[in-house]
Amino acid sequence: MKFGGTSVADPEAIKRLIGIVRHQLESQKGGDDAPVVVVSALAKVTDQLVQVARLAEDGEADRAADALRALLDRHVAVASAVTSESRAETVAKVRQEFEELIGLVHALAVLREVSPRSLDAVLAAGEVVSSRIVAAAIADHRIESVWVDARGVIVTDSEYNAAVPDMLETADRTRDRVAPHASRCRVAVLGGFIGSTSNGVTTTLGRGGSDYSAAIFGACLGVDEIQIWTDVDGMLTADPRIVPQPRVVPQLSFAEASELAYFGAKVLHPSTILPAVDRNIPVRILNARRPDQPGTRITADGGAADGQLTAIACKRDVTVVDITSTRMLMAHGFLRRLFEVFERFKTPVDVVTTSEVSVSVTVDDARRLDAIVDNLRNFAQVNCEREMAIICAVGENLRTDPTLFGRAVTALDRVPLRLVSQAASRRNITFVLRDGDVPHAMTRLHQQFFERR
Ligand code: ADP
Ligand code: ASP
Ligand code: MG
């Protein structure tokens, strides 16, 4: 059971969480293991820690320390409100964690340098303290519960800020450090998002990574279901911040969920589905404020009703890179050479289209774009266009119903489309367009597919 930031935001949210865990325990059968609980940092805390790291980088030691003290106060207030017997001990733990963080951030501010590795040490504190508070709160509400340090369980490589788990080692540690509690009917509570290298250096799995942690633990434990408790009723037909009244998608296939997550449906971290697919474990997205709603169930076969798309998602603020070479394009080896540049700079490309003289790709992570362009210019002309976006319409039915493609294009007839592509899986159609056109285009697509009978 994974609870996101808003589901642990304040004392009321944590009490709702306890109610949900209790209900899960009560509805289980006699021999069932206790659920394992994975929590995010309290709402907005990771963003605020990113701010603190920026202040440290600018040498603003005092402002960084003030921001951390404000965070400490918030955590102490929440911890005090949700605990009873363990209050003093829990508050002391929270204080100790923040004292260490304040010391670390002071050192970073003196050096005016925050490496990816240091950033992970700063960000991890959010999940370390939230999980300690939730574990203590559950125990103080008469449910047997124990805090387990997730950094000692998820073992990753050293790609800081986006670390990749070593599943074999993590499975061993999960078996040793988590499973025994669950089988003794004790609720193990772990922070999501965080892990450590085999040498014990703290890492994070990338923003939104608590979903991924939950799926990793779920797969390692071979659970019956991975539950993602959040602040919406499930996977919605579109991003509710862009389209006014999206609907809940009751069922999805793993493949559809992966595409949607990858192309911007923030409700799931894009890697979440992978461990679930490997073990064929259903994933459910549920609303912690409305626990009686059925949510969205994601399984191997999933499936929308006939003739329907499943959902649309969008990835904003991407860059289109056009690579043109009249001489070379059709020569064999050209594409290898081109993609080798992206690979060297560890930058994934999302959408690719080709014409006779050019290749266009989109990149989301533009941090190394200047170096990539410099290298590409050794053998081609390159043009970059920023402030673009990808809209991705997803549905297994795209394979069988050719009219869906036409309807999507027709819905966008007034929107200038930069690239259009349909992958071999034929499970999605992607449109690349100006970022400013996204709200209008999403609304048009949503009306076409989800608001008409
Ligand atoms: P949590 O903190 O629980 O992990 P997130 O903020 O990461 O929650 O993800 C939930 C949010 O994802 C929702 O509040 C919603 O605004 C956003 N979202 C974007 N696209 C979708 C979608 N297709 N379905 C549901 N939620 C979406
Ligand atoms: N707290 C982390 C973040 O905000 C991880 C998560 O919430 O999933 O990115
Ligand atoms: Mg999230």
Side-chain angles (χ1 to χ4, degrees), residues 75-127:
H75 283 83
V76 167
V78 171
S80 306
V82 294
T83 51
S84 45
E85 295 99 275
S86 73
R87 185 170 298 140
E89 188 193 333
T90 308
V91 168
K93 283 276 192 297
V94 168
R95 282 192 192 287
Q96 185 192 337
E97 207 58 61
F98 273 97
E99 293 308 330
E100 283 171 19
L101 184 59
I102 288 168
L104 167 66
V105 168
H106 182 79
L108 296 175
V110 170
L111 293 171
R112 298 193 183 201
E113 181 187 89
V114 181
S115 64
R117 174 169 164 162
S118 310
L119 181 64
D120 275 354
V122 173
L123 299 190
E127 267 71 9

Side-chain angles (χ1 to χ4, degrees), residues 316-335:
R316 309 212 42 184
D317 198 20
V318 305
T319 303
V320 175
V321 185
D322 296 315
I323 302 136
T324 310
S325 169
T326 38
R327 281 177 302 125
M328 298 277 287
L329 186 70
M330 285 306 147
H332 75 93
F334 180 78
L335 288 177

Side-chain angles (χ1 to χ4, degrees), residues 2 4-6 229-232 234-236 238-241 265-267:
K2 176 264 174 174
T6 46
W229 291 88
T230 183
D231 61 352
V232 283
M235 178 68 79
L236 303 171
D239 187 332
R241 294 163 299 180
K266 186 189 172 220
V267 69

Side-chain angles (χ1 to χ4, degrees), residues 1 3 15-29 35 138 143 187 227 229 284 286 291-293:
M1 307 176 78
F3 293 86
K15 285 173 190 160
R16 277 196 296 272
L17 175 158
I18 296 170
I20 292 168
V21 172
R22 191 187 301 286
H23 184 262
Q24 175 70 35
L25 278 164
E26 284 167 356
S27 60
Q28 294 191 166
K29 294 190 283 297
I138 295 179
I143 297 173
V187 176
Q227 299 177 350
W229 291 88
R284 214 134 56 95
L286 294 148
D292 44 324
Q293 294 295 306

